[in-house]
Amino acid sequence: QAKEQDRNNFQFFSREMNTKVLERMMLETSMRKALDREEFFLVYQPQVDVRSGRIIGMEALLRWQHPDMGLLGPDKFIYLAEDNGFIIPLGEWVLRAACKQNKAWQDAGLTPVRVAVNLSSKQFGQQRLDEMIASVLMDTGLEPQWLEVEITESAIMKNAEQNATILHKLKEMGIALAIDDFGTGYSSLSYLKHFPITRLKIDRSFVRDITTNPDDAAIAEIIIAMAQTLKLNVIAEGVETRPQMEFLSFHNCVEMQGYLFSRPVPAEEFARLLREGLKY
Ligand code: C2E
Ligand code: MG
Ligand code: MG
Ligand code: MG
């Protein structure tokens, strides 16, 4: 009986493996055509200053409307794009689309806000990331102060010295730098003084149970205090409830992003939020 169970498990496992491999192959082939076919698009999630209730920024998040597989989130395909190098043209497309959209909103007279774009560590391996970004800003006409790049701790540390040079160039251009998923990636804090960081994003894993789990609460409080001491901005991601919001603002973290304020929304809807303000 045990044997039969094993066999069944094995079959199940290998069938699942095959599906995974097939899915991966399908995604890899269709990925290359998807840019030309305009299947990628961005959604935008507001970042809020809870003192005023105003939108102070937005994070651009990538989506793929796949012709056969439906709507795909980044967790389904970014790692593949990183493995096969497609992240280089895709990452440039994301940056360009986000800057272009932000400039269009400013030209239309909407309140200017910063747009945050996620960068993959693989894009740092790219030749002249700083020049790519400079030419996107030039082409789109967006002023650098309206752009922020988000990088994880582990991405920064992968090639620390080379990355420091690139990030200092971005800083000189006037671009802001946020550390994404802060607190999850790297144990040493000394890198904070070697990089021109402007903002820490408290990872949503600490925010989730912030009102019930003393450890999470302590970690969040320490990150906030550290940001204050180092004169960095701090924003909490994944804020879903009013008690989470209240806890954070009581502890002097006033910038927040999360479903409580808005899910990531398509461009037209984000423009409406900019015009009419948030209701939460
Ligand atoms: P991230 O940069 O940490 O982005 C935040 C993720 O949390 C987003 O997931 C967002 O939809 C989700 N989120 C926001 N508020 C809440 C909330 O209140 N509750 C919960 N449960 N989730 C919330 P998404 O859009 O699926 O993106 C996942 C990850 O994919 C991102 O994590 C980022 O690392 C990566 N990613 C997204 N767009 C890009 C891109 O253009 N380039 C690169 N390289 N990576 C991207
Ligand atoms: Mg991010
Ligand atoms: Mg994040
Ligand atoms: Mg995260």
Side-chain angles (χ1 to χ4, degrees):
Q1 226 224 322
K3 259 218 162 113
E4 194 170 332
Q5 189 97 41
D6 279 353
R7 209 160 30 234
N8 288 340
N9 281 343
F10 177 75
Q11 278 192 355
F12 175 75
F13 185 61
S14 67
R15 210 182 304 131
E16 171 139 306
M17 282 283 284
N18 282 328
T19 321
K20 281 258 145 60
V21 171
L22 278 173
E23 198 178 279
R24 188 185 168 113
M25 281 170 59
M26 252 173 79
L27 283 175
E28 289 215 52
T29 352
S30 50
M31 195 179 273
R32 300 178 181 284
K33 303 176 192 143
L35 258 189
D36 290 333
R37 294 184 181 172
E38 300 183 25
E39 290 166 11
F40 292 109
F41 65 101
L42 297 180
V43 288
Y44 298 88
Q45 187 176 37
Q47 300 179 331
V48 187
D49 183 327
V50 297
R51 288 171 304 188
S52 63
R54 292 244 171 88
I55 298 176
I56 52 162
M58 56 195 162
E59 179 171 8
L61 295 158
L62 185 59
R63 299 289 182 267
W64 179 5
Q65 188 63 57
H66 193 284
D68 308 316
M69 301 174 78
L71 181 61
L72 303 177
D75 294 336
K76 285 270 189 311
F77 61 87
I78 287 279
Y79 72 99
L80 282 176
E82 289 178 330
D83 282 356
N84 67 23
F86 188 65
I87 193 68
I88 299 300
L90 184 58
E92 179 167 348
W93 180 87
V94 168
L95 185 75
R96 195 171 290 273
C99 291
K100 196 171 156 189
Q101 182 60 259
N102 201 16
K103 174 70 170 143
W105 282 332
Q106 293 185 5
D107 288 348
L110 297 175
T111 324
V113 293
R114 188 181 65 233
V115 65
V117 174
N118 293 283
L119 290 186
S120 154
S121 67
K122 295 287 161 18
Q123 290 175 271
F124 281 84
Q126 181 187 17
Q127 286 260 295
R128 300 190 242 282
L129 176 65
D130 49 302
E131 285 179 24
M132 185 279 274
I133 295 178
S135 70
V136 167
L137 288 174
M138 185 77 93
D139 295 347
T140 58
L142 184 73
E143 291 171 279
Q145 85 225 48
W146 301 115
L147 175 64
E148 178 167 85
V149 294
E150 291 192 6
I151 314 168
T152 61
E153 296 164 272
S154 40
I156 279 198
M157 295 313 292
K158 213 165 257 178
N159 203 336
E161 250 165 69
Q162 188 204 308
N163 293 348
T165 312
I166 295 172
L167 293 173
H168 277 285
K169 284 188 181 147
L170 298 184
K171 163 84 184 272
E172 278 163 36
M173 287 163 56
I175 296 165
L177 170 61
I179 303 299
D180 208 349
D181 305 341
F182 187 77
T184 60
Y186 198 72
S187 52
S188 165
L189 294 173
S190 67
Y191 79 93
L192 284 175
K193 67 179 188 206
H194 298 301
F195 293 95
I197 296 160
T198 44
R199 180 173 277 100
L200 302 180
K201 293 192 81 171
I202 303 175
D203 190 66
R204 77 164 183 267
S205 63
F206 305 123
V207 173
R208 194 178 45 227
D209 301 322
I210 202 167
T211 59
T212 52
N213 183 324
D215 292 338
D216 289 335
I219 292 169
E221 285 176 52
I222 286 167
I223 295 174
I224 296 163
M226 190 169 65
Q228 277 173 344
T229 310
L230 296 171
K231 298 191 167 58
L232 304 175
N233 294 92
V234 62
I235 185 167
E237 65 174 21
V239 179
E240 294 184 353
T241 70
R242 197 157 288 278
Q244 290 167 345
M245 176 185 84
E246 278 156 8
F247 182 97
L248 286 158
S249 66
F250 180 78
H251 288 93
N252 298 317
C253 174
V254 295
E255 294 184 8
M256 301 181 203
Q257 179 181 342
Y259 295 168
L260 174 64
F261 309 100
S262 168
R263 296 206 165 233
V265 295
E268 312 76 60
E269 207 172 318
F270 194 87
R272 198 173 51 76
L273 292 179
L274 273 180
R275 269 190 226 99
E276 297 173 10
L278 290 168
K279 296 174 191 76
Y280 61 90

